[in-house]
């Protein structure tokens, strides 16, 4: 497995294909395998050089006790791009990965050719999404965890979830692995790894990427929001406030489009980048 030695991190990444660079950024508590299981990486690599990166504390990249805000992870990504000699790239970010992509474009627009957002939720726009806990991805998780006598509550609260994860016994973890399957088991392992860090708080911090700064994004943006996305208000904000934003709906998806409808993500991304190349 390739690693970039960037103290205090050893950043794990995978690359495939040739051509202009696309960098894939997974969501919070996920890892780069989300792009490989569904085939997004393979689907893009026939036309581009595609890199998938495990962000700080995720996948095979090492855990740090703190520093998980989007501005810090954007700088992690910039250091990694310098290491692998990527001068400029299109960034495709799922969920929190889209926040990191937008933050990097805000800080270093010369290094970001374009942004593709996959159902991104922005802490800086949290006032637009007061009912985040009603999102089916959270309610489904709540129902699953009730099977092991764990109630995470109706409000999205990762610090609370992390404290619960740390208290599970072997019986509960075994039962959850059986219920969640291989992808869910990887996710469960990520929760365990991050449970002793500040990630649950840091990831939901605005970290300077407030509504005005998001609206000032200068690079072209493709905002892909799932058919059953809980973030309709965020999608509307981006469409109305960004200077160069195209939108599309990913059908039959519910916040996990890289797994639920990867072909649509690949098709929309290729169309968008092809149109940009002709400008």
């Amino acid at each position: 497995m390739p690693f970039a030695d960037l103290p205090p991190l050893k950043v794990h990444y995978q690359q495939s294909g040739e051509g202009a660079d696309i960098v894939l950024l997974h969501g919070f508590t996920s890892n780069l395998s989300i792009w490989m299981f569904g085939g997004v990486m393979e689907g893009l690599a026939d036309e581009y050089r595609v890199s998938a990166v495990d962000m700080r504390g995720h996948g095979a990249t090492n855990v740090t006790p703190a520093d998980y805000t989007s501005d810090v992870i954007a700088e992690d990504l910039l250091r990694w791009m310098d290491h692998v000699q990527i001068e400029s790239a299109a960034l495709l970010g799922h969920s929190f990965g889209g926040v990191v992509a937008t933050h990097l474009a805000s800080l270093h627009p010369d290094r970001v050719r374009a942004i593709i957002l996959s159902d991104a939720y922005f802490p800086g726009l949290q006032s637009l999404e007061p009912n985040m806990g009603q999102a089916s991805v959270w309610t489904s998780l709540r129902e699953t965890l009730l099977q092991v006598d764990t109630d995470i509550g109706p409000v999205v609260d990762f610090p609370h979830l992390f404290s619960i994860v740390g208290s599970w016994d072997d019986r509960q973890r075994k039962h959850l692995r059986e219920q969640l399957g291989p992808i869910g088991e990887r996710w469960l392992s990520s929760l365990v790894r991050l449970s002793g860090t500040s990630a649950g708080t840091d990831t939901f911090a605005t970290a300077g990427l407030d509504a005005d700064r998001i609206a000032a994004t200068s690079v072209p943006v493709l905002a892909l929001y799932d058919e059953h996305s809980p973030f309709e208000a965020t999608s509307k904000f981006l469409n109305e406030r960004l200077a160069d934003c195209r939108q599309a709906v990913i059908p039959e998806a519910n916040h996990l489009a890289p797994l639920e409808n990867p072909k649509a993500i690949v098709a929309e991304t290729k169309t968008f980048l092809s149109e940009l190349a002709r400008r």
Side-chain angles (χ1 to χ4, degrees), residues 171 185 201:
R171 177 193 63 82
E185 184 174 349
T201 300

Side-chain angles (χ1 to χ4, degrees), residues 112-220:
V112 179
R113 192 168 73 255
I115 300 169
I116 302 97
L117 302 174
S118 175
D119 222 49
Y121 165 80
F122 291 85
L125 300 178
Q126 59 185 313
S127 62
L128 301 180
E129 306 289 359
N131 299 315
M132 186 181 175
Q134 301 302 312
S136 60
V137 66
W138 184 261
T139 56
S140 295
L141 174 62
R142 188 182 184 192
E143 290 172 4
T144 299
L145 297 187
L146 284 172
Q147 297 179 35
V148 290
D149 305 319
T150 299
D151 187 357
I152 57 175
V155 178
V156 176
D157 186 344
F158 271 90
H160 177 57
L161 177 58
F162 283 165
S163 68
I164 289 173
V165 168
S167 69
W168 281 336
D169 58 31
D170 291 342
R171 177 193 63 82
Q172 290 172 303
R173 291 182 182 180
K174 179 181 178 181
H175 182 72
L176 281 173
R177 291 188 182 100
E178 293 170 351
Q179 293 294 316
L180 295 171
I183 294 176
E185 184 174 349
R186 285 174 178 260
W187 176 79
L188 181 62
S189 298
S190 182
L191 285 185
V192 173
R193 292 180 71 215
L194 290 169
S195 63
T197 75
S198 63
T201 300
D202 289 355
T203 303
F204 292 92
T206 300
L209 192 66
D210 59 17
D212 289 340
R213 197 162 186 177
I214 294 167
T217 300
S218 59
V219 305

Side-chain angles (χ1 to χ4, degrees), residues 15-37:
Q15 285 186 327
S16 181
E18 297 180 357
D21 283 292
I22 300 177
V23 178
L24 309 180
L25 302 171
H26 60 79
F28 181 48
T29 72
S30 184
N31 59 70
L32 64 77
S33 67
I34 194 172
W35 304 111
M36 303 172 82
F37 277 133

